[in-house]
Amino acid sequence: MDDQRFNDNAHDRDAPSDEAAVRNYGQRRRARSLPPRRGAPIDRRRTGEREHTPVLSEPEPDSAKPARRLLEEILERMGVREAHVRYYARPEGEYLEVRGQELANLIGRHGHTLEALNLVFNNILNAGVRKDRHYFTIDAEGYRARRADQLRAVALMSLERAIREKRPVELEPMLPSERKVIHLALAENPYVTTESAGVDPDRRVVVFPRPS
């Protein structure tokens, strides 16, 4: 999905050329994604907190139980003691979050250790599976969930910039899972498309304005 250019031709006929409409669209989306001003009252319906905040009482589906047990075994072999793993779902996918003491080493610099663990975990989980593969995002103390929220805000700002300047906008180099968040955030957008460019570790997302 990361290397795929996202197109949604079904929206082309609905995309207005009026720049005011574009600005209004971006303002509405950004208002739902960015945090409120300091000191302002929090409107949970506006911020979408209910949608993006994990629910502690969310039941674990049967399909996630083998994955959770596998992660617990991997963590034990890594020497991560007294860690608790729980399942929850977010708009960008299913998460297995690790909670415990002193998880900084598990996260690693800029989340690189978590990214490597995620790759190994999903490769083991889906070994020998040809179809209907199941992928999870491994998180620690909400680090990747918070990063995903930040990236969605970046995606919306890049959308507005691409439309305003009428040219492609290159984002900073990102991890594969982070590029996926950007792609998904703009996948159904009627004003832009996205694709990945470059070679890791400098691979990045480019946001392209749709022809008017």
Side-chain angles (χ1 to χ4, degrees):
M1 178 178 293
D2 173 54
D3 296 328
Q4 176 184 357
R5 182 164 182 165
F6 285 75
N7 293 293
D8 190 357
N9 295 329
H11 290 281
D12 288 347
R13 61 179 179 271
D14 298 324
S17 57
D18 187 353
E19 293 187 4
V22 174
R23 288 195 300 271
N24 290 337
Y25 176 89
Q27 290 168 356
R28 290 195 303 269
R29 295 294 302 273
R30 186 167 55 185
R32 292 197 298 265
S33 299
L34 295 181
R37 295 185 303 274
R38 182 177 297 179
I42 298 177
D43 184 344
R44 298 183 187 276
R45 291 174 298 178
R46 181 184 66 80
T47 60
E49 181 177 338
R50 178 176 298 179
E51 178 183 6
H52 298 304
T53 301
V55 179
L56 293 178
S57 61
E58 183 173 1
E60 179 184 74
D62 291 340
S63 60
K65 292 179 181 178
R68 175 179 52 77
R69 289 193 291 265
L70 171 62
L71 179 57
E72 290 171 341
E73 180 180 350
I74 292 175
L75 292 173
E76 183 177 354
R77 291 176 179 270
M78 291 176 62
V80 180
R81 307 298 181 186
E82 299 181 358
H84 173 68
V85 179
R86 71 183 184 93
Y87 165 93
Y88 65 85
R90 284 174 54 93
E92 66 271 13
E94 296 177 287
Y95 277 64
L96 290 173
E97 183 186 26
V98 183
R99 290 182 173 244
Q101 301 296 321
E102 300 180 358
L103 296 179
N105 289 335
L106 183 64
I107 296 172
R109 187 171 183 268
H110 300 312
H112 281 80
T113 303
L114 265 182
E115 185 80 4
L117 172 61
N118 213 139
L119 177 63
V120 171
F121 169 83
N122 280 306
N123 283 344
I124 295 175
L125 183 66
N126 292 287
V129 180
R130 294 184 176 273
K131 61 179 180 178
D132 297 328
R133 295 188 172 191
H134 205 154
Y135 293 93
F136 293 87
T137 296
I138 308 303
D139 200 358
E141 296 292 353
Y143 172 85
R144 297 183 80 174
R146 292 190 298 272
R147 177 62 173 158
D149 289 337
Q150 295 170 355
L151 291 171
R152 274 192 290 272
V154 169
L156 293 176
M157 288 187 288
S158 301
L159 153 72
E160 294 180 350
R161 182 181 171 191
I163 295 300
R164 182 176 64 252
E165 299 181 2
K166 296 181 173 61
R167 66 178 182 85
V169 174
E170 288 190 359
L171 304 185
E172 64 180 9
M174 296 179 185
L175 298 172
S177 62
E178 295 177 335
R179 296 195 298 267
K180 179 181 177 181
V181 172
I182 299 290
H183 287 311
L184 289 175
L186 299 178
E188 298 182 359
N189 190 276
Y191 305 112
V192 297
T193 60
T194 64
E195 72 177 58
S196 292
V199 179
D200 286 323
D202 296 320
R203 194 163 175 79
R204 65 193 66 210
V205 175
V206 183
V207 181
F208 295 86
R210 291 182 185 271
S212 57

